Amino acid sequence: MTNRDPMKDQVAIVGLGSTGFTRNGDESPLAMALRAATEAITDAGLTAADIDGVVATSEPAAKGPEEIAAALGITEATHHAKPSPVAMFSLLDAARAVFSGAADNVLIVTPVVMGPWNSRRAAADPWRAGTRSSILPIPEDATKAAAYAAWAGRYIHEHGATKDPFARIAINSRTNAANNPLAAVTEPLSFGMYDAGRMIRDPLNIYDMDLPVDGADAFVLTTAERGREIASAQGREAVLIHAATTGIVGKNDEDQLVGLDRTGQHVVVEQLRRTSDIWIDDIDLFYPYEGFTIITLAWFENVGFCPPGGAEDFLREHWNDDAQRLEISGRVLVNTHGGSLSEGATRGTGHIREAVHQLRGTAGDRQVDGAQSALVTPGGFFFNPQGAFLRRG
Amino acid sequence: MPADFEDDSATDDTALIARFGGHGIDRDSAAHFRGRLERRLLIHRCDDCGRWHHPPRPMCPACWSWNITPTEVSGRGRIHLLMTLHQGPPASGVDYADGHPVVTVELEEQPALRFTSTVADGFPTDRLEIGTPVTLEWVDRDGTPTPVFGLGEDG
Ligand SMILES: [Zn+2]
């Protein structure tokens, strides 16, 4: 394990672009990527000629960085990569490119596309017929998405938990989505509606699972120094990556994981402990991933808000009943954009985008006044746990 | 499907891949799936350190030995993970309307050595819970022997 962290506060997120997210998309993945990318580059006050690094996540049906570069009319690039989906693989790749000097202004594009395997509407769309999932076509499979239902059952068994904390995660996201024009679903969700939700993989129902959507996010990263110049010119706060990491345990095959008491989430949290000057008592905003609600309960526990199995009590104690959302210690809001459950299944790019909007003061109706720092924790239990402290700077 | 399909798949790679393609079969798991055709649940075991691992890989992750023998397990274990599918991929004999249980069984051979399948028809619903002892049974799914779990003995 390393204690070295020379990248601390050295890379800035200066450009944000997003198409918003929809259940009724009719654009190509490339078109969505280009809308988000051009918005992000323009948002940073840059042009195609300034971009010398392109990172494009390897989502199904998404185009690679070379095709993005061609479509955007980029002159030349000295860094290009195609990381795995889930937001911080791309964020870290781009940040490390900037920090190492491989490139000065790196574009990240992250389209997400509904597939025939997760949407009836998508299955009926001939333009998506060739899109393939890596999920095995057999019922008796506790890998990929199904693993989260299996381990949710184990969590309930070990801790005697009820579905109450799961419901609060789903309702919090839906409540917050109401103020987010990018969100796919904004109708209010009640405890009664949650309880009546269609069971998909018991114990998880339709409201425990993120929302397949079409859309794209894009980001531009540059050096902290240049980031401050750009922010200053635009009358915003600069936003820096303070500490960031991914983490896995070696024995990470979903149904072979020894237990929820030792997952990649623990590895991420311990690495952030070693490298971050900011901790959970300091933050103004928390963005735990909720691709499945069980993931969020684990993040609350593993980052240290409460002990293992303590999420049920913690979420109840920190629930604002009037607002129907979480307010940690009456102050720290959670997934202010509506998260993957209601904004849409962005694999965490929405969580990062929203954190940056809040910290630089461009979150519109959702703005938390004076927000200084945020913790973002994308990813689940097995292959993709990730975390970052972002701060004004 | 040719009439000799079943006979060939015990020896012929192409027939084996055709039969188990949906399971993500590869060279490293071929022996495991050939074992299924003989109704034997073969799990990779290291000849040098004796440790088991699953899914099948070519090298022992505990000691880096390449001396791996796909070895039949007792089939006894306990339900470690349990979920009930109310939707899922179409499969012969699987009815999601009533909920299709998927169990991950911790095998008695080694802690955290697990195998995922479903339970046998008639498995008592009041015993379908984490911790219940189970034992391996074989059923026929579209002509392919398929490992499932029946109720085991307490103790
Ligand atoms: Zn060994």
Side-chain angles (χ1 to χ4, degrees), chain A residues 86-112:
Chain A
V86 181
M88 283 192 37
F89 289 123
S90 288
L91 190 81
L92 272 168
D93 181 89
R96 288 164 180 165
V98 168
F99 180 64
S100 70
D104 284 330
N105 302 307
V106 179
L107 170 72
I108 302 170
V109 288
T110 60
V112 289

PDB file of all heavy atoms in Angstrom, chain A residues 86-112:
ATOM      1  N   VAL A  86     -17.828   2.787 -15.212  1.00  0.00           N
ATOM      2  CA  VAL A  86     -17.862   3.282 -13.827  1.00  0.00           C
ATOM      3  C   VAL A  86     -16.864   4.432 -13.745  1.00  0.00           C
ATOM      4  O   VAL A  86     -15.685   4.315 -14.091  1.00  0.00           O
ATOM      5  CB  VAL A  86     -17.628   2.229 -12.744  1.00  0.00           C
ATOM      6  CG1 VAL A  86     -17.720   2.850 -11.352  1.00  0.00           C
ATOM      7  CG2 VAL A  86     -18.667   1.111 -12.872  1.00  0.00           C
ATOM      8  N   ALA A  87     -17.408   5.553 -13.281  1.00  0.00           N
ATOM      9  CA  ALA A  87     -16.887   6.880 -13.588  1.00  0.00           C
ATOM     10  C   ALA A  87     -15.408   7.091 -13.310  1.00  0.00           C
ATOM     11  O   ALA A  87     -14.703   7.709 -14.101  1.00  0.00           O
ATOM     12  CB  ALA A  87     -17.703   7.902 -12.811  1.00  0.00           C
ATOM     13  N   MET A  88     -14.924   6.586 -12.187  1.00  0.00           N
ATOM     14  CA  MET A  88     -13.586   7.024 -11.802  1.00  0.00           C
ATOM     15  C   MET A  88     -12.455   6.321 -12.511  1.00  0.00           C
ATOM     16  O   MET A  88     -11.322   6.788 -12.460  1.00  0.00           O
ATOM     17  CB  MET A  88     -13.421   6.978 -10.295  1.00  0.00           C
ATOM     18  CG  MET A  88     -14.131   8.189  -9.714  1.00  0.00           C
ATOM     19  SD  MET A  88     -13.768   8.476  -8.014  1.00  0.00           S
ATOM     20  CE  MET A  88     -12.070   8.039  -7.948  1.00  0.00           C
ATOM     21  N   PHE A  89     -12.752   5.214 -13.203  1.00  0.00           N
ATOM     22  CA  PHE A  89     -11.697   4.662 -14.050  1.00  0.00           C
ATOM     23  C   PHE A  89     -11.289   5.726 -15.081  1.00  0.00           C
ATOM     24  O   PHE A  89     -10.104   5.911 -15.360  1.00  0.00           O
ATOM     25  CB  PHE A  89     -12.172   3.394 -14.765  1.00  0.00           C
ATOM     26  CG  PHE A  89     -12.340   2.210 -13.849  1.00  0.00           C
ATOM     27  CD1 PHE A  89     -13.560   1.565 -13.761  1.00  0.00           C
ATOM     28  CD2 PHE A  89     -11.293   1.742 -13.086  1.00  0.00           C
ATOM     29  CE1 PHE A  89     -13.724   0.461 -12.931  1.00  0.00           C
ATOM     30  CE2 PHE A  89     -11.444   0.641 -12.249  1.00  0.00           C
ATOM     31  CZ  PHE A  89     -12.673  -0.003 -12.159  1.00  0.00           C
ATOM     32  N   SER A  90     -12.275   6.418 -15.636  1.00  0.00           N
ATOM     33  CA  SER A  90     -11.969   7.454 -16.624  1.00  0.00           C
ATOM     34  C   SER A  90     -11.437   8.720 -15.964  1.00  0.00           C
ATOM     35  O   SER A  90     -10.492   9.337 -16.467  1.00  0.00           O
ATOM     36  CB  SER A  90     -13.227   7.791 -17.442  1.00  0.00           C
ATOM     37  OG  SER A  90     -13.532   6.739 -18.324  1.00  0.00           O
ATOM     38  N   LEU A  91     -12.039   9.112 -14.835  1.00  0.00           N
ATOM     39  CA  LEU A  91     -11.585  10.334 -14.162  1.00  0.00           C
ATOM     40  C   LEU A  91     -10.122  10.197 -13.746  1.00  0.00           C
ATOM     41  O   LEU A  91      -9.317  11.111 -13.931  1.00  0.00           O
ATOM     42  CB  LEU A  91     -12.459  10.627 -12.939  1.00  0.00           C
ATOM     43  CG  LEU A  91     -12.217  12.001 -12.316  1.00  0.00           C
ATOM     44  CD1 LEU A  91     -12.956  13.079 -13.090  1.00  0.00           C
ATOM     45  CD2 LEU A  91     -12.615  12.029 -10.852  1.00  0.00           C
ATOM     46  N   LEU A  92      -9.763   9.068 -13.175  1.00  0.00           N
ATOM     47  CA  LEU A  92      -8.386   8.867 -12.719  1.00  0.00           C
ATOM     48  C   LEU A  92      -7.427   8.762 -13.901  1.00  0.00           C
ATOM     49  O   LEU A  92      -6.311   9.276 -13.845  1.00  0.00           O
ATOM     50  CB  LEU A  92      -8.297   7.606 -11.852  1.00  0.00           C
ATOM     51  CG  LEU A  92      -8.571   7.845 -10.373  1.00  0.00           C
ATOM     52  CD1 LEU A  92      -8.750   6.533  -9.649  1.00  0.00           C
ATOM     53  CD2 LEU A  92      -7.459   8.663  -9.737  1.00  0.00           C
ATOM     54  N   ASP A  93      -7.861   8.100 -14.959  1.00  0.00           N
ATOM     55  CA  ASP A  93      -6.995   7.992 -16.137  1.00  0.00           C
ATOM     56  C   ASP A  93      -6.674   9.384 -16.674  1.00  0.00           C
ATOM     57  O   ASP A  93      -5.515   9.712 -16.955  1.00  0.00           O
ATOM     58  CB  ASP A  93      -7.692   7.159 -17.216  1.00  0.00           C
ATOM     59  CG  ASP A  93      -6.819   7.009 -18.444  1.00  0.00           C
ATOM     60  OD1 ASP A  93      -6.026   6.054 -18.495  1.00  0.00           O
ATOM     61  OD2 ASP A  93      -6.900   7.872 -19.341  1.00  0.00           O
ATOM     62  N   ALA A  94      -7.709  10.209 -16.781  1.00  0.00           N
ATOM     63  CA  ALA A  94      -7.510  11.559 -17.308  1.00  0.00           C
ATOM     64  C   ALA A  94      -6.665  12.399 -16.344  1.00  0.00           C
ATOM     65  O   ALA A  94      -5.766  13.140 -16.768  1.00  0.00           O
ATOM     66  CB  ALA A  94      -8.870  12.219 -17.544  1.00  0.00           C
ATOM     67  N   ALA A  95      -6.952  12.286 -15.052  1.00  0.00           N
ATOM     68  CA  ALA A  95      -6.208  13.068 -14.067  1.00  0.00           C
ATOM     69  C   ALA A  95      -4.729  12.692 -14.090  1.00  0.00           C
ATOM     70  O   ALA A  95      -3.845  13.558 -14.018  1.00  0.00           O
ATOM     71  CB  ALA A  95      -6.800  12.847 -12.675  1.00  0.00           C
ATOM     72  N   ARG A  96      -4.453  11.397 -14.196  1.00  0.00           N
ATOM     73  CA  ARG A  96      -3.057  10.960 -14.204  1.00  0.00           C
ATOM     74  C   ARG A  96      -2.350  11.396 -15.482  1.00  0.00           C
ATOM     75  O   ARG A  96      -1.145  11.677 -15.465  1.00  0.00           O
ATOM     76  CB  ARG A  96      -2.997   9.440 -14.004  1.00  0.00           C
ATOM     77  CG  ARG A  96      -3.348   9.080 -12.567  1.00  0.00           C
ATOM     78  CD  ARG A  96      -3.687   7.623 -12.360  1.00  0.00           C
ATOM     79  NE  ARG A  96      -4.015   7.386 -10.957  1.00  0.00           N
ATOM     80  CZ  ARG A  96      -4.619   6.302 -10.487  1.00  0.00           C
ATOM     81  NH1 ARG A  96      -4.980   5.335 -11.323  1.00  0.00           N
ATOM     82  NH2 ARG A  96      -4.887   6.169  -9.202  1.00  0.00           N
ATOM     83  N   ALA A  97      -3.097  11.493 -16.573  1.00  0.00           N
ATOM     84  CA  ALA A  97      -2.510  11.995 -17.819  1.00  0.00           C
ATOM     85  C   ALA A  97      -2.124  13.462 -17.659  1.00  0.00           C
ATOM     86  O   ALA A  97      -1.038  13.885 -18.063  1.00  0.00           O
ATOM     87  CB  ALA A  97      -3.491  11.810 -18.975  1.00  0.00           C
ATOM     88  N   VAL A  98      -3.005  14.241 -17.042  1.00  0.00           N
ATOM     89  CA  VAL A  98      -2.700  15.660 -16.824  1.00  0.00           C
ATOM     90  C   VAL A  98      -1.511  15.789 -15.874  1.00  0.00           C
ATOM     91  O   VAL A  98      -0.549  16.525 -16.138  1.00  0.00           O
ATOM     92  CB  VAL A  98      -3.922  16.399 -16.244  1.00  0.00           C
ATOM     93  CG1 VAL A  98      -3.540  17.792 -15.731  1.00  0.00           C
ATOM     94  CG2 VAL A  98      -5.034  16.490 -17.280  1.00  0.00           C
ATOM     95  N   PHE A  99      -1.561  15.055 -14.768  1.00  0.00           N
ATOM     96  CA  PHE A  99      -0.526  15.201 -13.742  1.00  0.00           C
ATOM     97  C   PHE A  99       0.844  14.773 -14.258  1.00  0.00           C
ATOM     98  O   PHE A  99       1.867  15.369 -13.929  1.00  0.00           O
ATOM     99  CB  PHE A  99      -0.907  14.385 -12.503  1.00  0.00           C
ATOM    100  CG  PHE A  99       0.110  14.484 -11.405  1.00  0.00           C
ATOM    101  CD1 PHE A  99       0.351  15.716 -10.792  1.00  0.00           C
ATOM    102  CD2 PHE A  99       0.836  13.388 -11.003  1.00  0.00           C
ATOM    103  CE1 PHE A  99       1.302  15.828  -9.785  1.00  0.00           C
ATOM    104  CE2 PHE A  99       1.786  13.491 -10.000  1.00  0.00           C
ATOM    105  CZ  PHE A  99       2.025  14.707  -9.388  1.00  0.00           C
ATOM    106  N   SER A 100       0.866  13.735 -15.075  1.00  0.00           N
ATOM    107  CA  SER A 100       2.155  13.225 -15.573  1.00  0.00           C
ATOM    108  C   SER A 100       2.737  14.102 -16.668  1.00  0.00           C
ATOM    109  O   SER A 100       3.895  13.919 -17.046  1.00  0.00           O
ATOM    110  CB  SER A 100       1.974  11.811 -16.125  1.00  0.00           C
ATOM    111  OG  SER A 100       1.229  11.860 -17.334  1.00  0.00           O
ATOM    112  N   GLY A 101       1.934  14.990 -17.214  1.00  0.00           N
ATOM    113  CA  GLY A 101       2.398  15.780 -18.343  1.00  0.00           C
ATOM    114  C   GLY A 101       2.124  15.138 -19.677  1.00  0.00           C
ATOM    115  O   GLY A 101       2.555  15.638 -20.713  1.00  0.00           O
ATOM    116  N   ALA A 102       1.394  14.043 -19.697  1.00  0.00           N
ATOM    117  CA  ALA A 102       1.066  13.395 -20.970  1.00  0.00           C
ATOM    118  C   ALA A 102       0.170  14.275 -21.830  1.00  0.00           C
ATOM    119  O   ALA A 102       0.213  14.202 -23.050  1.00  0.00           O
ATOM    120  CB  ALA A 102       0.397  12.048 -20.714  1.00  0.00           C
ATOM    121  N   ALA A 103      -0.654  15.090 -21.178  1.00  0.00           N
ATOM    122  CA  ALA A 103      -1.543  15.984 -21.922  1.00  0.00           C
ATOM    123  C   ALA A 103      -1.944  17.134 -21.002  1.00  0.00           C
ATOM    124  O   ALA A 103      -1.901  17.000 -19.778  1.00  0.00           O
ATOM    125  CB  ALA A 103      -2.776  15.232 -22.413  1.00  0.00           C
ATOM    126  N   ASP A 104      -2.343  18.249 -21.601  1.00  0.00           N
ATOM    127  CA  ASP A 104      -2.699  19.435 -20.807  1.00  0.00           C
ATOM    128  C   ASP A 104      -4.194  19.531 -20.536  1.00  0.00           C
ATOM    129  O   ASP A 104      -4.602  19.902 -19.445  1.00  0.00           O
ATOM    130  CB  ASP A 104      -2.255  20.712 -21.539  1.00  0.00           C
ATOM    131  CG  ASP A 104      -0.760  20.929 -21.419  1.00  0.00           C
ATOM    132  OD1 ASP A 104      -0.178  20.504 -20.397  1.00  0.00           O
ATOM    133  OD2 ASP A 104      -0.181  21.516 -22.358  1.00  0.00           O
ATOM    134  N   ASN A 105      -5.006  19.262 -21.552  1.00  0.00           N
ATOM    135  CA  ASN A 105      -6.457  19.416 -21.439  1.00  0.00           C
ATOM    136  C   ASN A 105      -7.111  18.126 -21.913  1.00  0.00           C
ATOM    137  O   ASN A 105      -7.170  17.859 -23.114  1.00  0.00           O
ATOM    138  CB  ASN A 105      -6.951  20.584 -22.303  1.00  0.00           C
ATOM    139  CG  ASN A 105      -6.285  21.885 -21.919  1.00  0.00           C
ATOM    140  OD1 ASN A 105      -6.294  22.280 -20.753  1.00  0.00           O
ATOM    141  ND2 ASN A 105      -5.668  22.537 -22.899  1.00  0.00           N
ATOM    142  N   VAL A 106      -7.581  17.335 -20.973  1.00  0.00           N
ATOM    143  CA  VAL A 106      -8.083  16.003 -21.329  1.00  0.00           C
ATOM    144  C   VAL A 106      -9.610  15.979 -21.251  1.00  0.00           C
ATOM    145  O   VAL A 106     -10.206  16.361 -20.239  1.00  0.00           O
ATOM    146  CB  VAL A 106      -7.495  14.926 -20.396  1.00  0.00           C
ATOM    147  CG1 VAL A 106      -8.048  13.552 -20.759  1.00  0.00           C
ATOM    148  CG2 VAL A 106      -5.974  14.923 -20.474  1.00  0.00           C
ATOM    149  N   LEU A 107     -10.204  15.531 -22.335  1.00  0.00           N
ATOM    150  CA  LEU A 107     -11.656  15.359 -22.427  1.00  0.00           C
ATOM    151  C   LEU A 107     -12.023  13.940 -22.015  1.00  0.00           C
ATOM    152  O   LEU A 107     -11.378  12.976 -22.438  1.00  0.00           O
ATOM    153  CB  LEU A 107     -12.115  15.592 -23.876  1.00  0.00           C
ATOM    154  CG  LEU A 107     -13.566  15.216 -24.197  1.00  0.00           C
ATOM    155  CD1 LEU A 107     -14.537  16.206 -23.566  1.00  0.00           C
ATOM    156  CD2 LEU A 107     -13.769  15.131 -25.711  1.00  0.00           C
ATOM    157  N   ILE A 108     -13.069  13.824 -21.194  1.00  0.00           N
ATOM    158  CA  ILE A 108     -13.658  12.509 -20.873  1.00  0.00           C
ATOM    159  C   ILE A 108     -15.073  12.498 -21.437  1.00  0.00           C
ATOM    160  O   ILE A 108     -15.849  13.415 -21.162  1.00  0.00           O
ATOM    161  CB  ILE A 108     -13.736  12.282 -19.354  1.00  0.00           C
ATOM    162  CG1 ILE A 108     -12.361  12.378 -18.695  1.00  0.00           C
ATOM    163  CG2 ILE A 108     -14.389  10.942 -19.040  1.00  0.00           C
ATOM    164  CD1 ILE A 108     -12.431  12.390 -17.166  1.00  0.00           C
ATOM    165  N   VAL A 109     -15.422  11.458 -22.181  1.00  0.00           N
ATOM    166  CA  VAL A 109     -16.811  11.298 -22.618  1.00  0.00           C
ATOM    167  C   VAL A 109     -17.332   9.950 -22.133  1.00  0.00           C
ATOM    168  O   VAL A 109     -16.653   8.927 -22.239  1.00  0.00           O
ATOM    169  CB  VAL A 109     -16.991  11.407 -24.145  1.00  0.00           C
ATOM    170  CG1 VAL A 109     -16.815  12.835 -24.597  1.00  0.00           C
ATOM    171  CG2 VAL A 109     -16.046  10.491 -24.877  1.00  0.00           C
ATOM    172  N   THR A 110     -18.534   9.953 -21.589  1.00  0.00           N
ATOM    173  CA  THR A 110     -19.084   8.748 -20.955  1.00  0.00           C
ATOM    174  C   THR A 110     -20.555   8.578 -21.313  1.00  0.00           C
ATOM    175  O   THR A 110     -21.436   8.862 -20.510  1.00  0.00           O
ATOM    176  CB  THR A 110     -18.954   8.840 -19.419  1.00  0.00           C
ATOM    177  OG1 THR A 110     -19.679   9.989 -18.974  1.00  0.00           O
ATOM    178  CG2 THR A 110     -17.512   8.966 -18.988  1.00  0.00           C
ATOM    179  N   PRO A 111     -20.833   8.096 -22.522  1.00  0.00           N
ATOM    180  CA  PRO A 111     -22.241   7.834 -22.857  1.00  0.00           C
ATOM    181  C   PRO A 111     -22.739   6.573 -22.156  1.00  0.00           C
ATOM    182  O   PRO A 111     -21.956   5.660 -21.897  1.00  0.00           O
ATOM    183  CB  PRO A 111     -22.209   7.636 -24.372  1.00  0.00           C
ATOM    184  CG  PRO A 111     -20.825   7.152 -24.661  1.00  0.00           C
ATOM    185  CD  PRO A 111     -19.925   7.769 -23.620  1.00  0.00           C
ATOM    186  N   VAL A 112     -24.023   6.560 -21.830  1.00  0.00           N
ATOM    187  CA  VAL A 112     -24.668   5.330 -21.370  1.00  0.00           C
ATOM    188  C   VAL A 112     -25.858   5.074 -22.284  1.00  0.00           C
ATOM    189  O   VAL A 112     -26.516   6.006 -22.743  1.00  0.00           O
ATOM    190  CB  VAL A 112     -25.126   5.399 -19.894  1.00  0.00           C
ATOM    191  CG1 VAL A 112     -23.924   5.383 -18.971  1.00  0.00           C
ATOM    192  CG2 VAL A 112     -25.988   6.621 -19.627  1.00  0.00           C
TER     193      VAL A 112
END
